[in-house]
Amino acid sequence: MYEKTLTQLAAALKSGEFSSRELTAHYLQRIEKADGKLNSFISVTAEQALKHAEIADNARAAGTAGPLAGIPLALKDIFCTRDVKTSCGSKMLDNFIAPYNATVVEKLNAAGTISLGKTNMDEFAMGSSNENSYYGPVKNPWDLTAVPGGSSGGSAAAVAAGLIPAAMGTDTGGSIRQPAAFCGITGLKPTYGRVSRFGIIAYASSLDQAGPMARSAEDCAHLLGVIAGHDGRDSTSVTRGVPDYVENLNAPLSGLKIGLPKEYFGDGLDPDVEKAVREAVKVYESLGATVREVSLPHTHYAIPAYYVIAPAEASSNLSRYDGVRFGYRCDNPSDLIDLYTRSRAEGFGEEVKRRILIGTHTLSEGFFDAYYTKAQKVRRLIRQDFLDAFEDVDVLMGPASPTPAFDLGAKKDPVSMYLQDIYTIAVNLAGIPGISVPAGFSNGRPVGLQILGTHFAEAQLLNVAHQFQQATDWHLQRPAFAEEYA
Amino acid sequence: MALEESHVRRAAHLARLAVSDDQASGFVEDLSRILDMVDQLQSLDTEGVKPLAHPLDATQRLRADEVTESNQRDTFQRCAPAVENGLYLVPRVVE
Amino acid sequence: MQWETVIGLEVHVQLATRSKIFSGASTAFGAEPNTQACAVDLGLPGALPVLNEQAVAMAVQFGLAVHADIAEVSVFDRKNYFYPDLPKGYQTSQMYHPIVGPGDVEITLEDGATKLIRIHHAHLEEDAGKSLHEDFHGMTGIDLNRAGTPLLEIVSEPDMRSAKEAAAYLKAIHSIVTYLGISDGNMAEGSMRCDVNVSVRPTGQEAFGTRAEIKNVNSFRFVERAIAFEVERQIELIEDGGSVVQETRLFDPDRDETRSMRTKEEANDYRYFPCPDLLPVVLDQAYLDHLRSQLPELPADKRERFQNELGLSAYDANVISASRDMAEFFEAVHNECGDAKQSANWVQGELSGALNRENLSIANSPISARQLGQLISRVLDNTINGKAAKEVFQALWNGQGESADDIIDAKGLKQVTDTGAIEAMIDQVIADSPAQVAQYRDSEPEKRGKMIGYFVGQVMKASRGTANPQQVNGLLKEKLDALL
């Protein structure tokens, strides 16, 4: 069953080829067998999943089941799930049982999908390798010595290994697209505001956005249709209507104007990655698209701007973890300041502390204008780069990451880790949507093609990605791990 | 803009993070490198550019003034480290 | 040396919304601890704020009432600091782009003089919770019911020059917000709280002295007392060769003094930045026009009208217009009886006295404006005399009758104005008081005026208070003088 895409599984459930209970049990078994090696799950909610699968089967029998009813999924452990531990990959929230569901979870539940558990992630979504989790690193199923990418590394690895047909991730600077690329799956970061952030534990509020990670663009289209839409509980959620993302998948690409940002093909780009991406672009040309080079002149400033804005927001967002109302509290605090400083020092990991300190410093008196205000101005220039480019082309294409998955422990220096996100980070600053699709391999490790569109162009991105997946089979390739261990 | 240990100490105090002497020097090193990278921003001329706080030019929606929440104290306090008589407890605050 | 006091006020007004500024939890006062603190108020992971439209409308109404510029675009910022009653580790406030810009308020001093106090700005923010320091085994208890209650912080320019002006300003703000109905203005429950910035400078000096900020000044009386103490402290300090330190001080009403809140002033750095969870609030002209059209008549306008059109004294007009409830009560009384001066006297005299004695607000007066107006009408048309009117008032207060007329009838208080009847009573009194009559006759003419009081008293007693006192007086004099 695990060989099937989510779309195929939905069809099989509908036709009665197997029940949701059987399907759920199948994936639970695979998780049970394989996840000891991958460490892609923080919590597995088997009992609840089987119960919900039965409800979905009953709904199916009663004729009330929706198209995705009974499909097993996993949720990055950043989505609040009622009565289930929601840790955000942190010791700080190791004891936090969420008292409510994120809007995304509510919508998925309403669609009848079955959550099998919560996936591993970099602590508070801060990281590009999943090595920053309190629950230990996740391994890449294509090569257990490689990282799966981050911060949605657990979701990516689990989908790639066939432990789950699809999973939800979040993307603040590339955290869906980069692990999707590293693990050879399809991952979509929607336009900022397209999916409600309510109940998603905040990292950087003006950048965070949730999206689907699955085997194919078609799978993502089905899932985005479920989770997108306005939510009165999130002020930044947009009221614009949700199109039918599936309906548009087969639109022909003839006349599609593709832009290749020259800054995305410069120094530091792995030659194999570049080759795979250029091959992919050729496929598009064969489908009738035209290709031209474009420029995003402020690309170079995206990482510096991001590492002011994101830590600044994070430093404030993470102040609520103070050991008073929920979460970790240090033993025997001697006074209030001891309670605060020790709970936070013991509850947060190194990278989280670094970002809190950077954010606190750059917002503080004497530095605010030079850092924060400056970064916000640069943010406007970066957004303008994209808006200008989309005057001339329909979509932009390039690599999702300058290299394929690197080895676990390879990047010790935080800055060299940050530079990994060179192609993904500007997208969050601009708020536009992006998708990563499998486009080949470099030394046995997957390469991701990133496709970017203008605000709310998800339907077009999914169409463009789907057409590529109709013409190629990179997305159907499976790591040997999927068969060997599970 | 060079980062000094006093900056890290001050940020740690403002952020209520206990930082030992050993850790402080490590943070100075890491944060200095990050800020060196960030300092590339200074080379860009942003004269006349308006800061951008949100990626979309959207405006705040307003919520009707209605009470929609009911008492969930017991649920919320199940994940609290210390409560008594419905109050969250902290070490004595001296005014 | 002559010293001048310079005062600026920051007034925090709790807005009378039903739900909180960023959540749907109730703002009702006095609930069990933490029963009105929802996920948003508690700052639980993933919870997000959504702005209450009524809080915005109320802030705008206030701005319009103080002739302020209303910001077309206002922005919420985060003020970052740690405190147990501040659940998120930041307070959502408006630092850089407040909703209400510069405006002004007219204050009236005791001598009737008026002065314009400028408003620097007013901004929306969320209230914090409360720390309870009762004994929880040496711990402090935190109640977050109040967290997220909308506040309008009104910041004045340093335009006040005395404690009396500061108190008058606070009263003016109080009456504006209660007129608008945007706050209950209940200072005892903390609905209005005040921080006072005080400095002194030698008279004639232009530069401001170093100021101290006094917190916890939560009544009109305390404002005057706190300032009086602080001014004296600062002057003494300077005259003794010291200098004022810029610091936060706490007013202790029990000891009638201010004292430094921190021995070592901790340098705060709130790291304000725009709240990424909230978007800019954009208000258009149509919205402002709509709210403007809904504004009630404000205290300053009422005061002017009471003085110019109804002929009240400046003092009466000021006292009555200070509270919307009192002003409206007065107007209803006036509508009923048609005599503004009498209405003002009764509302401020008998009614206010009775309300004060029983600690009731005018809104809860057992006597309605209509009842009081009718009562005054009966005095004006001579149905009852002043003494009987007080008795009728008391009976109405005690609920002994529906209307003044009912009580007048039931108690037989109708004034006797029939000359014949009064003459008969006088004749009887004269006949019954030969000794007093003789005394009267033998007195010096200038002392007789005083002695007539005895006879008036006897006649009034005989009439059980219902005789018209003026008539009794006139007729008695005639009759006694005829005996001379």
Side-chain angles (χ1 to χ4, degrees), chain A residues 242-369:
Chain A
V242 179
D244 185 334
Y245 296 112
V246 178
E247 190 182 74
N248 197 45
L249 288 174
N250 286 311
L253 297 189
S254 57
L256 179 78
K257 287 182 278 185
I258 298 172
L260 303 182
K262 65 176 184 206
E263 293 80 5
Y264 285 25
F265 293 88
D267 288 347
L269 178 58
D270 178 282
D272 284 351
V273 172
E274 176 166 4
K275 189 160 163 271
V277 169
R278 294 212 185 267
E279 288 295 325
V281 171
K282 277 189 197 142
V283 172
Y284 278 105
E285 282 177 309
S286 75
L287 295 173
T290 59
V291 178
R292 75 177 77 167
E293 187 182 86
V294 296
S295 175
L296 302 171
H298 298 94
T299 298
H300 184 55
Y301 298 100
I303 291 179
Y306 177 91
Y307 278 97
V308 173
I309 292 168
E313 292 183 8
S315 70
S316 177
N317 283 337
L318 270 61
S319 291
R320 66 188 59 196
Y321 306 104
D322 60 2
V324 176
R325 297 163 315 286
F326 50 81
Y328 179 78
R329 173 183 279 204
C330 66
D331 286 338
N332 306 316
S334 60
D335 57 16
L336 185 65
I337 190 90
D338 186 46
L339 166 72
Y340 283 152
T341 57
R342 233 163 15 93
S343 296
R344 290 167 62 78
E346 293 167 16
F348 290 138
E350 288 305 293
E351 182 59 23
V352 172
K353 286 183 204 174
R354 268 197 286 275
R355 295 196 195 187
I356 289 175
L357 289 173
I358 280 284
T360 304
H361 177 69
T362 53
L363 283 178
S364 68
E365 216 177 298
F367 299 98
F368 179 79
D369 286 331

Side-chain angles (χ1 to χ4, degrees), chain B residues 30-76:
Chain B
D30 288 346
L31 268 51
S32 292
R33 256 190 268 161
I34 297 168
L35 288 177
D36 285 347
M37 181 269 287
V38 161
D39 275 338
Q40 294 170 59
L41 292 176
Q42 309 309 332
S43 67
L44 189 60
D45 181 9
T46 51
E47 187 69 35
V49 180
K50 267 176 53 188
L52 181 70
H54 289 280
L56 304 176
D57 297 310
T59 58
Q60 180 64 36
R61 267 177 310 100
L62 302 177
R63 172 178 63 79
D65 179 25
E66 287 161 5
V67 175
T68 52
E69 300 293 326
S70 51
N71 174 19
Q72 292 191 72
R73 183 174 78 182
D74 292 347
T75 308
F76 292 149

Side-chain angles (χ1 to χ4, degrees), chain C residues 125-184:
Chain C
E125 61 185 26
E126 57 184 340
D127 208 344
K130 282 181 181 167
S131 302
L132 303 169
H133 304 293
E134 289 103 59
D135 192 30
F136 295 102
H137 335 291
M139 306 281 272
T140 289
I142 307 295
D143 173 12
L144 296 170
N145 280 348
R146 200 180 64 180
T149 299
L151 292 178
L152 185 67
E153 179 173 339
I154 304 158
V155 181
S156 83
E157 294 284 358
D159 283 354
M160 287 151 273
R161 294 292 174 269
S162 69
K164 292 248 180 277
E165 287 186 13
Y169 168 79
L170 192 58
K171 282 181 186 152
I173 296 292
H174 184 268
S175 77
I176 291 170
V177 301
T178 50
Y179 261 69
L180 293 172
I182 63 173
S183 176
D184 64 18

Side-chain angles (χ1 to χ4, degrees), chain A residues 100 199 235 316-317 325 340 365, chain C residues 42 45-46 49 78 80 84 87 269:
Chain A
Y100 47 81
S235 294
S316 177
N317 283 337
R325 297 163 315 286
Y340 283 152
E365 216 177 298
Chain C
L42 293 172
R78 291 184 182 177
N80 295 283
D269 184 346

Side-chain angles (χ1 to χ4, degrees), chain C residues 81 95 115-116 129 171 213-214 244 274 313 319 374 376 421 482:
Chain C
Y81 66 97
M95 174 66 178
K115 180 174 175 178
L116 215 55
K171 282 181 186 152
E213 184 182 15
I214 316 170
V244 177
S313 70
V319 172
Q374 288 170 342
I376 296 169

